[in-house]
mmCIF file of all heavy atoms in Angstrom:
data_model
loop_
_atom_site.group_PDB
_atom_site.id
_atom_site.type_symbol
_atom_site.label_atom_id
_atom_site.label_comp_id
_atom_site.label_asym_id
_atom_site.label_seq_id
_atom_site.Cartn_x
_atom_site.Cartn_y
_atom_site.Cartn_z
ATOM 1 N N TRP A 1 0.843 -1.178 0.000
ATOM 2 C CA TRP A 1 0.000 0.000 0.000
ATOM 3 C C TRP A 1 0.882 1.233 0.000
ATOM 4 O O TRP A 1 1.791 1.355 0.824
ATOM 5 C CB TRP A 1 -0.922 0.024 1.221
ATOM 6 C CG TRP A 1 -2.011 -0.993 1.167
ATOM 7 C CD1 TRP A 1 -2.025 -2.228 1.743
ATOM 8 C CD2 TRP A 1 -3.269 -0.857 0.495
ATOM 9 N NE1 TRP A 1 -3.209 -2.875 1.475
ATOM 10 C CE2 TRP A 1 -3.997 -2.049 0.711
ATOM 11 C CE3 TRP A 1 -3.853 0.157 -0.262
ATOM 12 C CZ2 TRP A 1 -5.272 -2.249 0.192
ATOM 13 C CZ3 TRP A 1 -5.120 -0.047 -0.774
ATOM 14 C CH2 TRP A 1 -5.814 -1.245 -0.546
ATOM 15 N N TYR A 2 0.625 2.122 -0.928
ATOM 16 C CA TYR A 2 1.289 3.407 -1.031
ATOM 17 C C TYR A 2 0.249 4.502 -0.890
ATOM 18 O O TYR A 2 -0.942 4.262 -1.064
ATOM 19 C CB TYR A 2 2.000 3.551 -2.378
ATOM 20 C CG TYR A 2 3.199 2.646 -2.562
ATOM 21 C CD1 TYR A 2 3.051 1.280 -2.738
ATOM 22 C CD2 TYR A 2 4.486 3.173 -2.574
ATOM 23 C CE1 TYR A 2 4.145 0.451 -2.917
ATOM 24 C CE2 TYR A 2 5.593 2.357 -2.758
ATOM 25 C CZ TYR A 2 5.412 1.003 -2.928
ATOM 26 O OH TYR A 2 6.502 0.191 -3.109
ATOM 27 N N ARG A 3 0.707 5.696 -0.582
ATOM 28 C CA ARG A 3 -0.226 6.815 -0.510
ATOM 29 C C ARG A 3 0.422 8.079 -1.048
ATOM 30 O O ARG A 3 1.641 8.225 -1.040
ATOM 31 C CB ARG A 3 -0.725 7.039 0.917
ATOM 32 C CG ARG A 3 0.328 7.536 1.899
ATOM 33 C CD ARG A 3 -0.240 7.584 3.308
ATOM 34 N NE ARG A 3 0.724 8.101 4.277
ATOM 35 C CZ ARG A 3 0.531 8.131 5.589
ATOM 36 N NH1 ARG A 3 -0.610 7.663 6.095
ATOM 37 N NH2 ARG A 3 1.468 8.620 6.389
ATOM 38 N N GLN A 4 -0.423 8.974 -1.511
ATOM 39 C CA GLN A 4 0.035 10.254 -2.022
ATOM 40 C C GLN A 4 -0.923 11.343 -1.567
ATOM 41 O O GLN A 4 -2.107 11.323 -1.900
ATOM 42 C CB GLN A 4 0.134 10.245 -3.546
ATOM 43 C CG GLN A 4 0.769 11.491 -4.122
ATOM 44 C CD GLN A 4 1.151 11.333 -5.579
ATOM 45 O OE1 GLN A 4 0.564 10.538 -6.304
ATOM 46 N NE2 GLN A 4 2.156 12.080 -6.002
ATOM 47 N N ALA A 5 -0.385 12.272 -0.797
ATOM 48 C CA ALA A 5 -1.137 13.426 -0.348
ATOM 49 C C ALA A 5 -0.877 14.582 -1.307
ATOM 50 O O ALA A 5 0.147 14.607 -2.000
ATOM 51 C CB ALA A 5 -0.729 13.804 1.072
ATOM 52 N N PRO A 6 -1.774 15.558 -1.366
ATOM 53 C CA PRO A 6 -1.567 16.708 -2.252
ATOM 54 C C PRO A 6 -0.228 17.389 -1.997
ATOM 55 O O PRO A 6 0.127 17.680 -0.858
ATOM 56 C CB PRO A 6 -2.736 17.634 -1.905
ATOM 57 C CG PRO A 6 -3.796 16.714 -1.397
ATOM 58 C CD PRO A 6 -3.060 15.646 -0.655
ATOM 59 N N GLY A 7 0.523 17.627 -3.075
ATOM 60 C CA GLY A 7 1.801 18.296 -2.968
ATOM 61 C C GLY A 7 2.943 17.441 -2.483
ATOM 62 O O GLY A 7 4.053 17.953 -2.296
ATOM 63 N N LYS A 8 2.707 16.157 -2.277
ATOM 64 C CA LYS A 8 3.741 15.262 -1.785
ATOM 65 C C LYS A 8 3.974 14.118 -2.765
ATOM 66 O O LYS A 8 3.135 13.818 -3.606
ATOM 67 C CB LYS A 8 3.361 14.698 -0.416
ATOM 68 C CG LYS A 8 3.280 15.731 0.694
ATOM 69 C CD LYS A 8 3.026 15.062 2.027
ATOM 70 C CE LYS A 8 3.005 16.065 3.162
ATOM 71 N NZ LYS A 8 2.765 15.400 4.471
ATOM 72 N N GLN A 9 5.140 13.484 -2.635
ATOM 73 C CA GLN A 9 5.453 12.314 -3.437
ATOM 74 C C GLN A 9 4.712 11.091 -2.922
ATOM 75 O O GLN A 9 4.358 11.007 -1.747
ATOM 76 C CB GLN A 9 6.956 12.029 -3.417
ATOM 77 C CG GLN A 9 7.796 13.002 -4.209
ATOM 78 C CD GLN A 9 9.220 12.518 -4.352
ATOM 79 O OE1 GLN A 9 10.027 12.683 -3.442
ATOM 80 N NE2 GLN A 9 9.526 11.907 -5.484
ATOM 81 N N ARG A 10 4.486 10.151 -3.808
ATOM 82 C CA ARG A 10 3.918 8.883 -3.394
ATOM 83 C C ARG A 10 4.920 8.151 -2.505
ATOM 84 O O ARG A 10 6.114 8.094 -2.816
ATOM 85 C CB ARG A 10 3.569 8.033 -4.616
ATOM 86 C CG ARG A 10 2.819 6.759 -4.282
ATOM 87 C CD ARG A 10 2.379 6.015 -5.539
ATOM 88 N NE ARG A 10 1.482 6.812 -6.360
ATOM 89 C CZ ARG A 10 0.828 6.353 -7.419
ATOM 90 N NH1 ARG A 10 0.960 5.091 -7.791
ATOM 91 N NH2 ARG A 10 0.039 7.162 -8.113
ATOM 92 N N GLU A 11 4.435 7.613 -1.409
ATOM 93 C CA GLU A 11 5.305 6.954 -0.460
ATOM 94 C C GLU A 11 4.769 5.589 -0.074
ATOM 95 O O GLU A 11 3.557 5.365 -0.064
ATOM 96 C CB GLU A 11 5.470 7.805 0.806
ATOM 97 C CG GLU A 11 4.186 7.995 1.588
ATOM 98 C CD GLU A 11 4.376 8.738 2.903
ATOM 99 O OE1 GLU A 11 5.536 8.995 3.292
ATOM 100 O OE2 GLU A 11 3.357 9.070 3.551
ATOM 101 N N LEU A 12 5.699 4.708 0.252
ATOM 102 C CA LEU A 12 5.312 3.390 0.760
ATOM 103 C C LEU A 12 4.703 3.534 2.143
ATOM 104 O O LEU A 12 5.270 4.191 3.018
ATOM 105 C CB LEU A 12 6.525 2.471 0.827
ATOM 106 C CG LEU A 12 6.294 1.109 1.497
ATOM 107 C CD1 LEU A 12 5.381 0.232 0.638
ATOM 108 C CD2 LEU A 12 7.616 0.403 1.755
ATOM 109 N N VAL A 13 3.563 2.911 2.344
ATOM 110 C CA VAL A 13 2.948 2.846 3.658
ATOM 111 C C VAL A 13 3.359 1.552 4.342
ATOM 112 O O VAL A 13 3.958 1.560 5.424
ATOM 113 C CB VAL A 13 1.413 2.944 3.570
ATOM 114 C CG1 VAL A 13 0.788 2.860 4.955
ATOM 115 C CG2 VAL A 13 0.997 4.232 2.874
ATOM 116 N N VAL A 14 3.035 0.435 3.712
ATOM 117 C CA VAL A 14 3.398 -0.868 4.235
ATOM 118 C C VAL A 14 3.308 -1.891 3.104
ATOM 119 O O VAL A 14 2.474 -1.755 2.206
ATOM 120 C CB VAL A 14 2.503 -1.268 5.433
ATOM 121 C CG1 VAL A 14 1.036 -1.337 5.030
ATOM 122 C CG2 VAL A 14 2.966 -2.531 6.093
ATOM 123 N N SER A 15 4.174 -2.889 3.147
ATOM 124 C CA SER A 15 4.161 -3.945 2.143
ATOM 125 C C SER A 15 4.267 -5.301 2.821
ATOM 126 O O SER A 15 4.693 -5.402 3.975
ATOM 127 C CB SER A 15 5.295 -3.771 1.133
ATOM 128 O OG SER A 15 6.557 -3.906 1.752
ATOM 129 N N ILE A 16 3.893 -6.324 2.088
ATOM 130 C CA ILE A 16 3.973 -7.686 2.592
ATOM 131 C C ILE A 16 4.462 -8.590 1.472
ATOM 132 O O ILE A 16 3.958 -8.557 0.353
ATOM 133 C CB ILE A 16 2.609 -8.153 3.162
ATOM 134 C CG1 ILE A 16 2.729 -9.552 3.766
ATOM 135 C CG2 ILE A 16 1.509 -8.090 2.107
ATOM 136 C CD1 ILE A 16 1.517 -9.935 4.618
ATOM 137 N N SER A 17 5.460 -9.397 1.768
ATOM 138 C CA SER A 17 6.047 -10.272 0.771
ATOM 139 C C SER A 17 5.238 -11.543 0.616
ATOM 140 O O SER A 17 4.301 -11.811 1.373
ATOM 141 C CB SER A 17 7.490 -10.616 1.157
ATOM 142 O OG SER A 17 7.516 -11.508 2.253
ATOM 143 N N SER A 18 5.626 -12.341 -0.366
ATOM 144 C CA SER A 18 4.951 -13.619 -0.569
ATOM 145 C C SER A 18 5.104 -14.535 0.639
ATOM 146 O O SER A 18 4.241 -15.373 0.887
ATOM 147 C CB SER A 18 5.496 -14.312 -1.820
ATOM 148 O OG SER A 18 6.878 -14.586 -1.695
ATOM 149 N N GLY A 19 6.192 -14.364 1.390
ATOM 150 C CA GLY A 19 6.430 -15.164 2.571
ATOM 151 C C GLY A 19 5.836 -14.597 3.841
ATOM 152 O O GLY A 19 5.947 -15.221 4.902
ATOM 153 N N GLY A 20 5.236 -13.413 3.766
ATOM 154 C CA GLY A 20 4.575 -12.820 4.916
ATOM 155 C C GLY A 20 5.371 -11.761 5.648
ATOM 156 O O GLY A 20 4.859 -11.152 6.596
ATOM 157 N N GLY A 21 6.614 -11.516 5.238
ATOM 158 C CA GLY A 21 7.383 -10.463 5.857
ATOM 159 C C GLY A 21 6.847 -9.095 5.489
ATOM 160 O O GLY A 21 6.342 -8.892 4.383
ATOM 161 N N THR A 22 6.951 -8.145 6.405
ATOM 162 C CA THR A 22 6.369 -6.823 6.190
ATOM 163 C C THR A 22 7.393 -5.715 6.366
ATOM 164 O O THR A 22 8.365 -5.847 7.111
ATOM 165 C CB THR A 22 5.193 -6.565 7.141
ATOM 166 O OG1 THR A 22 5.650 -6.650 8.498
ATOM 167 C CG2 THR A 22 4.088 -7.586 6.923
ATOM 168 N N ASN A 23 7.179 -4.631 5.652
ATOM 169 C CA ASN A 23 7.893 -3.376 5.826
ATOM 170 C C ASN A 23 6.860 -2.274 5.981
ATOM 171 O O ASN A 23 5.822 -2.310 5.326
ATOM 172 C CB ASN A 23 8.785 -3.065 4.622
ATOM 173 C CG ASN A 23 9.994 -3.948 4.545
ATOM 174 O OD1 ASN A 23 10.626 -4.245 5.553
ATOM 175 N ND2 ASN A 23 10.349 -4.360 3.334
ATOM 176 N N CYS A 24 7.139 -1.321 6.833
ATOM 177 C CA CYS A 24 6.192 -0.230 7.010
ATOM 178 C C CYS A 24 6.910 1.073 7.288
ATOM 179 O O CYS A 24 8.035 1.096 7.791
ATOM 180 C CB CYS A 24 5.179 -0.539 8.115
ATOM 181 S SG CYS A 24 5.884 -0.674 9.758
ATOM 182 N N ALA A 25 6.229 2.153 6.963
ATOM 183 C CA ALA A 25 6.753 3.475 7.231
ATOM 184 C C ALA A 25 6.683 3.769 8.722
ATOM 185 O O ALA A 25 5.756 3.346 9.412
ATOM 186 C CB ALA A 25 5.960 4.520 6.455
ATOM 187 N N ASP A 26 7.670 4.516 9.216
ATOM 188 C CA ASP A 26 7.693 4.863 10.627
ATOM 189 C C ASP A 26 6.429 5.614 11.055
ATOM 190 O O ASP A 26 5.969 5.469 12.188
ATOM 191 C CB ASP A 26 8.916 5.715 10.952
ATOM 192 C CG ASP A 26 10.207 4.934 10.892
ATOM 193 O OD1 ASP A 26 10.167 3.692 10.969
ATOM 194 O OD2 ASP A 26 11.273 5.566 10.772
ATOM 195 N N SER A 27 5.866 6.387 10.146
ATOM 196 C CA SER A 27 4.715 7.208 10.474
ATOM 197 C C SER A 27 3.455 6.409 10.786
ATOM 198 O O SER A 27 2.527 6.948 11.396
ATOM 199 C CB SER A 27 4.425 8.185 9.330
ATOM 200 O OG SER A 27 4.160 7.492 8.125
ATOM 201 N N VAL A 28 3.421 5.141 10.379
ATOM 202 C CA VAL A 28 2.218 4.337 10.595
ATOM 203 C C VAL A 28 2.455 3.125 11.484
ATOM 204 O O VAL A 28 1.514 2.374 11.761
ATOM 205 C CB VAL A 28 1.591 3.879 9.262
ATOM 206 C CG1 VAL A 28 1.316 5.072 8.362
ATOM 207 C CG2 VAL A 28 2.479 2.856 8.559
ATOM 208 N N LYS A 29 3.682 2.943 11.943
ATOM 209 C CA LYS A 29 3.983 1.803 12.801
ATOM 210 C C LYS A 29 3.116 1.823 14.057
ATOM 211 O O LYS A 29 2.960 2.850 14.702
ATOM 212 C CB LYS A 29 5.457 1.798 13.193
ATOM 213 C CG LYS A 29 6.380 1.345 12.088
ATOM 214 C CD LYS A 29 7.827 1.293 12.549
ATOM 215 C CE LYS A 29 8.739 0.808 11.429
ATOM 216 N NZ LYS A 29 10.163 0.810 11.828
ATOM 217 N N GLY A 30 2.549 0.667 14.368
ATOM 218 C CA GLY A 30 1.678 0.555 15.522
ATOM 219 C C GLY A 30 0.246 0.929 15.250
ATOM 220 O O GLY A 30 -0.613 0.705 16.111
ATOM 221 N N ARG A 31 -0.037 1.499 14.082
ATOM 222 C CA ARG A 31 -1.399 1.922 13.754
ATOM 223 C C ARG A 31 -1.982 1.180 12.565
ATOM 224 O O ARG A 31 -3.183 0.909 12.540
ATOM 225 C CB ARG A 31 -1.440 3.428 13.474
ATOM 226 C CG ARG A 31 -0.986 4.282 14.649
ATOM 227 C CD ARG A 31 -1.251 5.764 14.400
ATOM 228 N NE ARG A 31 -0.512 6.267 13.238
ATOM 229 C CZ ARG A 31 -1.078 6.799 12.164
ATOM 230 N NH1 ARG A 31 -2.404 6.912 12.095
ATOM 231 N NH2 ARG A 31 -0.332 7.240 11.163
ATOM 232 N N PHE A 32 -1.142 0.889 11.574
ATOM 233 C CA PHE A 32 -1.602 0.237 10.351
ATOM 234 C C PHE A 32 -1.077 -1.190 10.293
ATOM 235 O O PHE A 32 0.062 -1.461 10.695
ATOM 236 C CB PHE A 32 -1.097 0.977 9.111
ATOM 237 C CG PHE A 32 -1.713 2.330 8.867
ATOM 238 C CD1 PHE A 32 -2.498 2.958 9.818
ATOM 239 C CD2 PHE A 32 -1.488 2.972 7.657
ATOM 240 C CE1 PHE A 32 -3.052 4.205 9.591
ATOM 241 C CE2 PHE A 32 -2.040 4.219 7.411
ATOM 242 C CZ PHE A 32 -2.827 4.842 8.374
ATOM 243 N N THR A 33 -1.879 -2.083 9.759
ATOM 244 C CA THR A 33 -1.494 -3.468 9.597
ATOM 245 C C THR A 33 -1.892 -3.964 8.215
ATOM 246 O O THR A 33 -3.041 -3.798 7.800
ATOM 247 C CB THR A 33 -2.153 -4.371 10.658
ATOM 248 O OG1 THR A 33 -1.828 -3.902 11.968
ATOM 249 C CG2 THR A 33 -1.662 -5.808 10.513
ATOM 250 N N ILE A 34 -0.940 -4.572 7.523
ATOM 251 C CA ILE A 34 -1.227 -5.169 6.228
ATOM 252 C C ILE A 34 -1.400 -6.669 6.398
ATOM 253 O O ILE A 34 -0.744 -7.294 7.237
ATOM 254 C CB ILE A 34 -0.108 -4.859 5.207
ATOM 255 C CG1 ILE A 34 -0.534 -5.249 3.789
ATOM 256 C CG2 ILE A 34 1.197 -5.537 5.592
ATOM 257 C CD1 ILE A 34 0.421 -4.757 2.706
ATOM 258 N N SER A 35 -2.289 -7.243 5.620
ATOM 259 C CA SER A 35 -2.476 -8.680 5.616
ATOM 260 C C SER A 35 -2.893 -9.115 4.221
ATOM 261 O O SER A 35 -3.317 -8.291 3.407
ATOM 262 C CB SER A 35 -3.518 -9.113 6.657
ATOM 263 O OG SER A 35 -4.783 -8.537 6.386
ATOM 264 N N ARG A 36 -2.748 -10.386 3.956
ATOM 265 C CA ARG A 36 -3.147 -10.894 2.649
ATOM 266 C C ARG A 36 -3.874 -12.216 2.795
ATOM 267 O O ARG A 36 -3.591 -13.007 3.705
ATOM 268 C CB ARG A 36 -1.931 -11.042 1.718
ATOM 269 C CG ARG A 36 -0.906 -12.074 2.155
ATOM 270 C CD ARG A 36 0.397 -11.938 1.348
ATOM 271 N NE ARG A 36 0.178 -12.187 -0.067
ATOM 272 C CZ ARG A 36 1.008 -11.805 -1.033
ATOM 273 N NH1 ARG A 36 2.119 -11.126 -0.729
ATOM 274 N NH2 ARG A 36 0.736 -12.082 -2.295
ATOM 275 N N ASP A 37 -4.814 -12.429 1.913
ATOM 276 C CA ASP A 37 -5.556 -13.675 1.842
ATOM 277 C C ASP A 37 -5.350 -14.213 0.437
ATOM 278 O O ASP A 37 -6.015 -13.783 -0.510
ATOM 279 C CB ASP A 37 -7.037 -13.448 2.144
ATOM 280 C CG ASP A 37 -7.819 -14.742 2.251
ATOM 281 O OD1 ASP A 37 -7.377 -15.768 1.703
ATOM 282 O OD2 ASP A 37 -8.886 -14.732 2.890
#
């Protein structure tokens, strides 16, 4: 998941690999969770 606010560049919010590993932006840590089915 990426996001783009007005006047800002598109940025990574959080990602999840095929194996389930995740990366997330510091700004959303503890608040956002990615999952896949």
Side-chain angles (χ1 to χ4, degrees):
W1 289 97
Y2 291 71
R3 68 186 182 187
Q4 187 167 26
K8 295 185 177 180
Q9 288 190 279
R10 187 175 299 188
E11 64 175 353
L12 173 69
V13 179
V14 60
S15 65
I16 184 167
S17 72
S18 61
T22 60
N23 288 319
C24 65
D26 289 340
S27 60
V28 305
K29 284 183 179 177
R31 300 189 298 120
F32 290 11
T33 304
I34 191 170
S35 61
R36 65 192 297 161
D37 187 338

